[in-house]
């Protein structure tokens, strides 16, 4: 079932339920903020104190960072771009079979976006909901000039306890440490016992998030970069819409085109970033 819903404050979202899973996706940002397989715990983390307010990004789920990842050199522009705080259009929903549904959202340039980024574009998010979750983010350049983008599907995964988890699949990959601005090389699996904010490069295989009682597999296409982030104790205190102990219960593995993995699109070209969570 695909239903258009509203929170008591009027914040709109689409709910999709089938026999395999359910999701909730906000009209603002096409921001998926809930995914759970039937009779299982949610896979994604959502802050208990997140605001569902226009103009503010939801804290958790899968924010779409676009058309730039991170801060803009013009500091008055929004961190991680404007897609996550823009109102998208719901294009269509399909019930493919009892266990598979899909929904598509679109954002196109308008007076507001052109003030922040002077290019004409079409951005589409296609989500396939089943035992697995697939997000396909397609950028099309409808301008008559080339443009470049950096972007991320900034997924917040829910974990039982940060000290129980490790990430496999990035061994020997180079990364930019965003805390020191140094280039480093990953040795072995990633574990968390301090703040981590890294842009991994040359990523080509599956990434596995191991928790005490479950494993999540992440496959990316159209991407060679992955951001791994956990704010740890001190940064969490400074973060908006997070409780002080939030860092214990999530980590982000972000399917990205960031740092060296910038994408340049000629007029008429498209690029699709795909993240599949299995
Ligand atoms: C991550 C960045 O992708 O997003 C972090 O690497 C940043 O540096 C985090 O703190 C959250 O950003 P925001 O804008 O959602 O608070």
């Amino acid at each position: 079932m695909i239903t258009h819903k509203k929170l008591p404050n009027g914040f709109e979202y689409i709910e999709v339920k089938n026999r395999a899973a359910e999701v909730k996706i906000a009209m603002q940002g096409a921001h998926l903020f809930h995914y759970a397989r039937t009779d299982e715990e949610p896979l994604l983390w959502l802050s208990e104190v997140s605001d569902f307010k226009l103009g503010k990004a939801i804290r958790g789920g899968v924010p779409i960072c676009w058309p730039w990842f991170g801060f803009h050199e013009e500091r008055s522009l929004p961190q991680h771009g404007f897609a996550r705080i823009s109102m998208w259009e719901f294009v269509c929903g399909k019930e493919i079979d009892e266990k598979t549904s899909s929904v598509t959202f679109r954002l196109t340039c308008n007076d507001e976006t052109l003030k922040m980024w002077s290019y004409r574009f079409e951005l589409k998010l296609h989500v396939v909901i089943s035992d697995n979750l697939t997000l396909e983010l397609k950028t099309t350049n409808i301008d008559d000039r080339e443009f470049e983008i950096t972007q991320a599907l900034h997924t917040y995964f829910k974990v039982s306890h940060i000290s129980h988890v490790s990430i496999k699949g990035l061994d020997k990959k180079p990364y930019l440490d965003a805390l020191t601005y140094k280039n480093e090389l990953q040795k072995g699996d990633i574990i968390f016992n301090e703040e981590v904010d890294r842009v991994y490069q040359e990523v080509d295989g599956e990434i596995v998030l191991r928790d005490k009682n479950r494993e999540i597999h992440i496959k990316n296409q159209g991407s060679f970069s992955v951001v791994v982030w956990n704010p740890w104790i001190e940064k969490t205190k400074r973060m908006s819409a997070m409780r002080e102990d939030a860092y214990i219960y999530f980590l982000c593995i972000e399917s990205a085109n960031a740092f060296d993995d910038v994408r340049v699109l000629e007029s008429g070209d498209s690029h699709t970033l795909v993240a599949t969570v299995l």
Side-chain angles (χ1 to χ4, degrees):
M1 200 148 64
I2 301 174
T3 325
H4 198 133
K5 293 200 157 186
K6 274 186 192 173
L7 295 176
N9 69 356
F11 193 89
E12 293 177 69
Y13 65 98
I14 302 289
E15 183 183 80
V16 183
K17 283 187 180 181
N18 59 39
R19 290 190 64 172
E22 61 176 38
V23 297
K24 293 179 184 170
I25 305 174
M27 294 303 299
Q28 173 175 272
H31 191 142
L32 191 152
F33 60 93
H34 171 73
Y35 170 63
R37 295 173 181 139
T38 305
D39 301 326
E40 287 187 25
E41 283 280 292
L43 256 86
L44 304 179
W45 180 81
L46 175 66
S47 173
E48 302 87 337
V49 292
S50 180
D51 291 318
F52 286 86
K53 274 194 193 147
L54 296 185
K56 283 191 86 178
I58 298 167
R59 180 65 73 197
V62 191
I64 294 176
C65 305
W66 190 96
W68 57 86
F69 175 81
F71 58 82
H72 195 280
E73 48 191 43
E74 172 54 70
R75 293 302 173 105
S76 61
L77 292 173
Q79 153 122 328
H80 289 325
F82 50 78
R84 64 178 178 166
I85 48 169
S86 297
M87 206 47 124
W88 291 50
E89 174 198 342
F90 179 64
V91 178
C92 61
K94 283 192 191 126
E95 284 168 335
I96 298 162
D97 60 39
E98 283 192 331
K99 293 185 163 187
T100 318
S101 320
S102 72
V103 281
T104 305
F105 296 79
R106 175 168 55 206
L107 178 69
T108 44
C109 47
N110 56 48
D111 292 348
E112 286 306 305
T113 68
L114 288 165
K115 271 185 230 159
M116 293 182 273
W117 199 62
S118 68
Y119 301 98
R120 292 166 45 76
F121 67 86
E122 182 190 66
L123 186 61
K124 268 191 176 172
L125 179 74
H126 182 66
V127 184
V128 183
I129 305 108
S130 68
D131 290 340
N132 309 323
L133 177 68
T134 300
L135 291 105
E136 293 179 18
L137 184 65
K138 182 177 180 186
T139 304
T140 304
N141 181 346
I142 56 168
D143 208 313
D144 48 18
R145 306 164 287 164
E146 69 167 39
F147 62 60
E148 60 174 54
I149 53 165
T150 52
Q151 59 179 343
L153 294 162
H154 187 309
T155 313
Y156 286 76
F157 290 99
K158 186 174 161 76
V159 299
S160 62
H161 194 289
I162 195 71
S163 62
H164 294 155
V165 300
S166 62
I167 298 176
K168 281 183 90 65
L170 294 168
D171 186 26
K172 300 191 182 67
K173 298 297 178 195
Y175 67 85
L176 171 74
D177 189 327
L179 303 173
T180 59
Y181 292 102
K182 285 192 180 144
N183 291 300
E184 309 278 0
L185 207 61
Q186 179 63 34
K187 296 187 192 82
D189 296 348
I190 305 172
I191 53 160
F192 296 84
N193 47 28
E194 59 184 346
E195 184 179 351
V196 170
D197 195 346
R198 302 174 184 165
V199 189
Y200 285 87
Q201 300 287 301
E202 299 171 22
V203 180
D204 45 10
E206 186 172 298
I207 296 169
V208 182
L209 169 56
R210 280 211 171 136
D211 200 344
K212 209 167 56 175
N213 295 319
R214 74 173 169 195
E215 259 188 19
I216 296 172
H217 295 242
I218 302 143
K219 283 186 184 169
N220 299 327
Q221 289 165 257
S223 156
F224 297 118
S225 49
V226 166
V227 180
V228 177
W229 177 59
N230 178 281
W232 210 246
I233 299 165
E234 288 309 315
K235 187 167 177 179
T236 301
K237 293 181 187 161
R238 303 193 300 272
M239 297 292 304
S240 61
M242 267 193 199
R243 281 194 348 204
E244 281 207 355
D245 64 348
Y247 74 97
I248 296 172
Y249 303 110
F250 81 85
L251 59 83
C252 290
I253 301 176
E254 308 169 30
S255 310
N257 293 120
F259 191 41
D260 284 349
D261 193 16
V262 177
R263 298 298 163 126
V264 178
L265 299 190
E266 302 290 336
S267 172
D269 277 2
S270 297
H271 170 67
T272 306
L273 169 66
V274 186
T276 303
V277 178
L278 309 107

